[in-house]
Amino acid sequence: MGRLVAFIILLIPGIMAAYGIKLMRDTLFNKLLEPYPALWLQFTLGTVFVVIGIGFFAGFLLNRDRKKGRVAKKFQK
């Protein structure tokens, strides 16, 4: 059960990052999607989604590797 919860927790930021990449791609091809009033806003929100999604995933991996002692000395607390 614990692995399923961890998988779902990691799945949500992954989907968010994928949606952010889609928003940025659609902006580059001048395709404005429905809930966004301007292309610049669509691209900005896409960038924010990608940064938050990848940042959460990277932080999760760093925290897990710190607990197991697999990181370089400069990343240890």
Side-chain angles (χ1 to χ4, degrees):
M1 185 67 172
R3 288 182 183 251
L4 180 64
V5 172
F7 177 71
I8 291 172
I9 289 173
L10 286 178
L11 187 67
I12 293 169
I15 291 171
M16 189 168 67
Y19 182 66
I21 291 171
K22 181 197 178 310
L23 286 177
M24 291 190 297
R25 185 198 66 198
D26 287 346
T27 303
L28 291 177
F29 291 116
N30 287 331
K31 183 176 180 184
L32 184 63
L33 299 177
E34 178 59 35
Y36 306 106
L39 284 174
W40 66 268
L41 182 63
Q42 180 174 315
F43 188 83
T44 304
L45 286 175
T47 304
V48 168
F49 286 161
V50 167
V51 168
I52 290 173
I54 293 175
F56 183 86
F57 191 73
F60 177 82
L61 290 178
L62 180 63
N63 188 33
R64 185 192 66 175
D65 288 346
R66 274 184 183 160
K67 287 181 182 178
K68 293 183 179 183
R70 295 183 182 171
V71 295
K73 289 191 183 230
K74 69 178 183 178
F75 293 116
Q76 291 175 352
K77 289 186 175 180

